[in-house]
Amino acid sequence: DISGVRILLVEDNELNAEIAEFMLTENGAKVETVKNGLEAVQHFEASEPGTYDVILMRSEERRVGKECR
């Protein structure tokens, strides 16, 4: 059960993002989606502590430059 789990989803493919978001929200998660790793880092840094329970991102996600390693 993932009801109420707050997820930051990182996905650059629009169809994949739509499918993942649907599956997660249908199972009760609260999802925010960004398009790349750089946006994810910026979004996370700008959020209050505890905003997200988990960040879902492929290990191959683009735009995660050396500043994010």
Side-chain angles (χ1 to χ4, degrees):
D1 182 27
I2 60 171
S3 295
V5 174
R6 297 161 301 190
I7 299 172
L8 178 58
L9 174 65
V10 186
E11 180 54 64
D12 59 353
N13 180 288
E14 192 173 321
L15 179 59
N16 289 348
E18 186 177 328
I19 292 168
E21 198 169 323
F22 174 79
M23 291 174 62
L24 294 165
T25 57
E26 281 293 303
N27 286 286
K30 297 175 182 176
V31 180
E32 288 187 54
T33 305
V34 295
K35 295 184 185 228
N36 59 55
L38 181 58
E39 284 184 23
V41 170
Q42 293 169 339
H43 202 79
F44 181 76
E45 286 180 338
S47 67
E48 293 292 321
T51 298
Y52 301 107
D53 297 307
V54 65
I55 298 172
L56 298 180
M57 179 172 72
R58 295 184 320 225
S59 61
E60 301 167 351
E61 190 61 55
R62 289 181 255 164
R63 301 241 18 215
V64 182
K66 63 183 175 186
E67 69 277 0
C68 300
R69 291 184 191 152

